[in-house]
Amino acid sequence: MASLRDIVTSASINLLSAFGFLMAFAILRIQPFNDRVYFPRWYKKGTRSSPTRSGAYASKFVNLDCRTYLNFLNWMPAALRMPEPELIDHAGLDSVAYIRIYLLGLKIFVPLAVLSFMVLVPVNWIGDTLERAKDLNFSNIDKLSISNVPDGSKGFWAHIVMSYVFSFWTFYVLYSEYKVLATMRADYLASETRRPDQFTVLVRNIPPDPDESVSEHIVYNANKLASLVSKKRDFQNWYIYYQNKFERTSKRPLTKTGFMGLWGTKVDAIDHYTSQIQKLNEEEAVERERVKKDPDAIVPAAFVSFKSRWAAAVCAQTQLCRNPTLWLTEWAPEPRDVYWDNFAIPYFELTIRRLIIAVALFFLIFFFMIPIAFVQSLANIEGIQKVFPFLKPLIRIESVKSVIQGFLPGIVLKIFLAVLPQILMTMSKIEGYPSISALDRKSAAKYHMFILVNIFLGSIITGSALQQLKTFIDLPPTEIPKTIGVYIPMKANFFITYIMVDGWAGVAAEILRLVPLVLFHLKNTFLVKTEQDRYEAMEPGSIDFPVGEPRIQLYILLGLVYAPITPFLLPFIIIFLAFAYVVFRNQVINVYDPKYESAAAFWPDVHKRVVIGLFISQLLLLGLLSTKKIGRNHFALLPLPVLTIWFFMYCKGRFESGFIRFPLQEAMVKDTLERATEPQFNLKAYLKDAYMHPVFKSSDVEKSDFTFEEEKSPLVATTRVATKLSPDVHSSSPVQSDA
């Protein structure tokens, strides 16, 4: 078990690492040749250009003004200075809502930490259970936890009362934030400028019709064509690289015809890629014609655009057909949010895919317990000596022992988790969601489930994967909280080290942007030829929501669980949340270029996961107190989980609809105002190519990816409208929407 010295050692290492990253960032960000790496957001907006300096030639690359090095932390107040309304205009509501998750955590845990250290820490400290126990290794940190309170003590009433206080405070903060975000979303949608998705509905599972061709509202399966375009772009990049190399050296470059030029016959690189690009041009032209003419390339889905937001809102939020599996409508994602690869998946197949992925996710979570159990074996010296017996002489050195116990478990666990997000994103893509934002939200949900089971529960219940599974299978459901509750105080030290490694040093590494920095200079050296090339070499990135949001939820869960049990963990979480809030504010202002804008549609998921964490913390405290021989007093906690469920249902009914539906009143107001201020605006021309597949936008496609209702007729003219419907025709006909 890690001692106070081990924790101090780990804290020192991580603080020094974070300080080193910050110092490197402070120096690198003010160098002229790094300006595009640390301020790409302003370049993308066109409000910043490469810095020019007079004087020595070196000043064009290196900042020679010594005064600027003295204020190396001035980026922090600058990151906090921008008002929230201005930040929304600058970066969008999604970015602001994401940052507010850190603020939500601070609002919850700062008061909780103060109350815990004022009330619970003295109660825990004056206990003598650990000191009276024989042959038990413990540290001063353990004396601050509930484990030090004697069985049967009336001091446990302090923990029961404070659990109610903590829960009600969390209710208040969650409700207030949900209300604020709901208002911000409504104001954002009301004030937002015209966008194609405001007038467009995605219609899926369109049934075949003998009287109407689906090409009337066509979406093509252009995945193969998109693959050819992507492959050609890669070849063009290689061609530019070798062309630049030839211009610098005046020597014809050579390459090998095998994979990435690593093996095969040596050929002239420029001629080779010229011929490959020409070949792909021909294949692309053939595939483009095939897609336009092949009936099998037509997908039973459509982007249907309307003349008004009101009509689009009615269609998107209404069941159109007696058969609820046909003519499925939903709001269209904004054009840059569309994930085109998934439109070719038949609707029935989507259900099968999601069932398969659910089963696969279960096995992934289960088998990942194996590396988690290995990491837990490193959390104590005995486990390390058993796994690596040859390290015994080294481990006996006190300073080495402190480093291993205070630093190694957290860093090894972080390494194991590095590949997981890509696996989960691939699984979400297989499930067939039609937008990037939906993929992000579903991947975040999977990652949250994984963290909950493997990182939290898996780290508490030590042992092999089979032992962990057996622990849960053999126990009655009512005994699981009790069993886990007993283990929780023993794992506080491990989670403290994990927070420092993943949180403190990890966030500091985020602001340094080491990988984008190296990639930019490599591209700038070998590929950049024009200003446009330099512009494209920037990698601003965006908020990694599928990873970042579940990670915050883990820290919130740990804080809620340990607040009444081991309050010593709370300051480490608060430091992470405060530091991350400042860092990500800087990144949103200066760096990130959002991939899409969903107007904080993910906030109901954020709220739900915090409530889940609160519910788990209440059950585990109830289970832990049931082992402390306090009679039936622990039953005083039973109303809390019930109140938590009621609170969640109330907030769901009160706020969630505002994140799913668009009020018809707001739609009509915006339509009326727009018609009054811009009566001559050509909406049809504005929407014409908005939802055309990207691979078609450079070609002369005669048919667009959406239908647009007729300008003069209140109904869409169709073949069956012209021939007059017979009474036995059912509602599976093409959509006829009133303007």
Side-chain angles (χ1 to χ4, degrees):
M1 183 175 293
S3 64
L4 181 60
R5 177 176 177 174
D6 300 333
I7 299 297
V8 171
T9 301
S10 178
S12 301
I13 293 173
N14 286 286
L15 283 174
L16 286 173
S17 300
F19 184 75
F21 287 138
L22 290 178
M23 287 298 297
F25 166 70
I27 294 172
L28 291 172
R29 71 186 289 269
I30 60 176
Q31 308 307 319
F33 67 101
N34 290 332
D35 202 60
R36 290 176 180 267
V37 178
Y38 295 109
F39 300 95
R41 177 65 178 161
W42 298 101
Y43 282 90
K44 292 282 186 179
K45 294 189 72 173
T47 58
R48 192 180 182 99
S49 58
S50 298
T52 57
R53 297 177 182 272
S54 59
Y57 177 76
S59 65
K60 297 179 181 179
F61 303 95
V62 180
N63 188 344
L64 301 178
D65 186 356
C66 298
R67 293 172 297 178
T68 58
Y69 291 89
L70 300 177
N71 301 320
F72 67 95
L73 291 179
N74 64 350
W75 64 271
M76 289 187 174
L80 297 172
R81 196 174 297 131
M82 182 178 286
E84 200 165 66
E86 184 179 340
L87 187 57
I88 292 174
D89 292 339
H90 174 73
L93 184 56
D94 278 349
S95 299
V96 172
Y98 179 82
I99 295 172
R100 287 188 71 97
I101 305 176
Y102 294 101
L103 193 60
L104 171 70
L106 289 172
K107 289 180 179 179
I108 292 174
F109 292 123
V110 171
L112 261 59
V114 173
L115 290 173
S116 296
F117 276 84
M118 288 177 59
V119 178
L120 296 182
V121 168
V123 173
N124 296 339
W125 180 262
I126 62 177
D128 57 356
T129 301
L130 297 177
E131 292 179 344
R132 288 190 291 105
K134 296 180 179 180
D135 301 324
L136 180 65
N137 294 324
F138 65 91
S139 67
N140 288 333
I141 296 175
D142 299 310
K143 293 174 67 175
L144 300 176
S145 76
I146 198 173
S147 301
N148 199 39
V149 181
D151 289 350
S153 171
K154 293 184 178 180
F156 287 116
W157 274 105
H159 299 83
I160 294 173
V161 172
M162 293 310 296
S163 182
Y164 273 90
V165 174
F166 294 167
S167 297
F168 286 133
W169 173 251
T170 306
F171 290 164
Y172 171 74
V173 174
L174 283 172
Y175 179 86
S176 300
E177 280 298 300
Y178 215 153
K179 185 176 181 180
V180 169
L181 263 296
T183 302
M184 291 172 66
R185 175 179 167 87
D187 292 343
Y188 181 81
L189 293 176
S191 63
E192 194 178 24
T193 56
R194 184 188 297 110
R195 288 195 334 189
D197 51 291
Q198 297 170 350
F199 301 88
T200 308
V201 174
L202 172 60
V203 185
R204 306 186 76 175
N205 209 31
I206 301 173
D209 194 301
D211 296 317
E212 297 294 338
S213 169
V214 76
S215 61
E216 297 271 341
H217 19 246
I218 193 169
V219 171
Y220 291 109
N221 177 3
N223 291 347
K224 183 178 179 181
L225 179 58
S227 176
L228 291 174
V229 172
S230 176
K231 187 176 181 181
K232 186 176 74 171
R233 189 180 299 115
D234 291 338
F235 283 171
Q236 287 171 335
N237 288 338
W238 279 110
Y239 172 82
I240 294 172
Y241 167 76
Y242 284 115
Q243 187 68 34
N244 290 345
K245 186 176 181 180
F246 172 62
E247 291 177 1
R248 287 195 308 269
T249 62
S250 299
K251 182 180 178 181
R252 300 289 291 187
L254 301 177
T255 187
K256 294 181 180 179
T257 57
F259 176 74
M260 295 291 289
L262 299 177
W263 58 73
T265 307
K266 278 190 176 183
V267 295
D268 183 285
I270 295 176
D271 292 342
H272 171 69
Y273 283 106
T274 300
S275 63
Q276 291 294 322
I277 292 170
Q278 180 61 35
K279 181 180 177 182
L280 284 173
N281 281 334
E282 296 171 0
E283 292 182 19
E284 181 185 336
V286 172
E287 179 64 16
R288 198 181 296 275
E289 288 301 315
R290 186 197 69 79
V291 167
K292 290 193 292 181
K293 296 179 180 179
D294 186 1
D296 293 334
I298 295 173
V299 177
F303 288 107
V304 183
S305 291
F306 293 80
K307 291 187 295 187
S308 66
R309 296 173 181 84
W310 184 88
V314 170
C315 181
Q317 298 164 181
T318 306
Q319 180 175 318
L320 302 183
C321 181
R322 179 183 299 176
N323 183 346
T325 65
L326 300 177
W327 294 100
L328 301 176
T329 60
E330 59 184 282
W331 277 109
E334 62 170 318
R336 59 178 173 166
D337 190 21
V338 177
Y339 188 71
W340 292 98
D341 291 355
N342 282 345
F343 279 92
I345 303 172
Y347 178 78
F348 176 76
E349 187 179 318
L350 290 176
T351 306
I352 305 300
R353 284 170 173 249
R354 289 169 190 175
L355 175 62
I356 293 173
I357 291 300
V359 175
L361 181 64
F362 169 80
F363 284 103
L364 176 67
I365 291 174
F366 169 68
F367 283 109
F368 226 89
M369 288 183 180
I370 297 172
I372 298 298
F374 172 75
V375 170
Q376 280 302 309
S377 70
L378 301 178
N380 58 79
I381 291 298
E382 293 76 15
I384 295 174
Q385 290 177 347
K386 186 180 295 184
V387 177
F388 305 109
F390 59 89
L391 293 179
K392 278 186 179 181
L394 185 63
I395 291 175
R396 288 172 183 166
I397 303 173
E398 194 65 28
S399 59
V400 175
K401 175 183 174 182
S402 297
V403 171
I404 290 175
Q405 284 203 309
F407 186 73
L408 187 61
I411 194 67
V412 173
L413 181 57
K414 188 168 177 61
I415 292 172
F416 273 122
L417 293 177
V419 299
L420 183 64
Q422 287 301 320
I423 297 174
L424 298 180
M425 177 57 76
T426 301
M427 295 173 74
S428 297
K429 289 178 179 178
I430 293 173
E431 287 181 302
Y433 295 100
S435 66
I436 300 171
S437 57
L439 292 174
D440 280 354
R441 291 197 295 271
K442 297 302 179 181
S443 296
K446 293 180 180 65
Y447 199 29
H448 176 256
M449 178 64 68
F450 179 90
I451 285 177
L452 185 62
V453 174
N454 269 331
I455 307 303
F456 181 67
L457 297 180
S459 296
I460 290 172
I461 307 296
T462 56
S464 68
L466 292 176
Q467 288 173 330
Q468 294 180 47
L469 188 63
K470 187 175 185 298
T471 299
F472 292 109
I473 291 177
D474 292 347
L475 288 174
T478 55
E479 293 295 311
I480 292 177
K482 182 187 298 185
T483 303
I484 299 174
V486 172
Y487 283 108
I488 281 177
M490 302 163 54
K491 291 300 177 182
N493 296 339
F494 168 76
F495 286 122
I496 288 173
T497 62
Y498 180 75
I499 290 168
M500 289 187 289
V501 172
D502 183 65
W504 298 5
V507 171
E510 167 68 26
I511 201 170
L512 181 59
R513 306 198 73 226
L514 187 59
V515 173
L517 177 69
V518 172
L519 290 177
F520 173 77
H521 287 298
L522 286 175
K523 293 177 181 178
N524 203 32
T525 302
F526 297 107
L527 296 178
V528 170
K529 184 177 180 183
T530 65
E531 276 299 314
Q532 180 63 27
D533 295 336
R534 187 171 289 105
Y535 178 85
E536 293 176 355
M538 292 188 303
E539 293 289 345
S542 59
I543 290 174
D544 193 3
F545 182 83
V547 176
E549 192 270 346
R551 181 174 68 171
I552 307 172
Q553 294 291 351
L554 172 63
Y555 297 141
I556 292 176
L557 170 65
L558 293 176
L560 292 172
V561 168
Y562 280 98
I565 295 175
T566 310
F568 185 75
L569 183 138
L570 291 180
F572 296 90
I573 295 177
I574 291 171
I575 291 172
F576 160 75
L577 292 171
F579 185 35
Y581 177 74
V582 178
V583 165
F584 281 98
R585 230 176 183 272
N586 174 82
Q587 301 299 83
V588 164
I589 293 172
N590 295 321
V591 179
Y592 294 148
D593 184 30
K595 295 182 294 186
Y596 54 81
E597 178 57 56
S598 68
F602 56 80
W603 193 261
D605 296 330
V606 173
H607 176 88
K608 177 177 68 177
R609 288 167 196 153
V610 177
V611 173
I612 289 173
L614 181 62
F615 183 78
I616 290 172
S617 70
Q618 294 162 350
L619 289 182
L620 296 185
L621 180 62
L622 178 63
L624 178 61
L625 291 180
S626 68
T627 67
K628 295 297 183 179
K629 300 179 181 179
I630 57 175
R632 297 185 177 181
N633 291 342
H634 64 280
F635 287 135
L637 286 174
L638 280 178
L640 269 184
V642 178
L643 287 173
T644 302
I645 295 173
W646 171 85
F647 170 77
F648 173 74
M649 298 304 296
Y650 174 77
C651 289
K652 182 181 176 70
R654 171 69 176 81
F655 297 115
E656 189 172 294
S657 63
F659 291 82
I660 299 173
R661 300 181 179 90
F662 187 64
L664 295 180
Q665 179 186 21
E666 295 285 345
M668 185 169 290
V669 168
K670 288 182 73 70
D671 288 335
T672 304
L673 181 62
E674 191 171 274
R675 286 167 182 164
T677 56
E678 300 178 77
Q680 302 301 321
F681 182 76
N682 190 341
L683 185 61
K684 186 173 183 179
Y686 171 73
L687 294 171
K688 181 179 180 182
D689 296 332
Y691 286 96
M692 181 179 290
H693 197 294
V695 298
F696 289 138
K697 286 193 175 181
S698 60
S699 65
D700 54 342
V701 181
E702 295 178 359
K703 296 174 181 177
S704 61
D705 277 1
F706 64 91
T707 51
F708 196 102
E709 55 180 328
E710 293 295 326
E711 292 290 337
K712 297 180 180 179
S713 173
L715 299 179
V716 176
T718 65
T719 303
R720 274 178 296 149
V721 170
T723 57
K724 303 206 176 177
L725 292 173
S726 58
D728 58 342
V729 175
H730 297 293
S731 57
S732 61
S733 60
V735 181
Q736 299 179 5
S737 44
D738 194 352

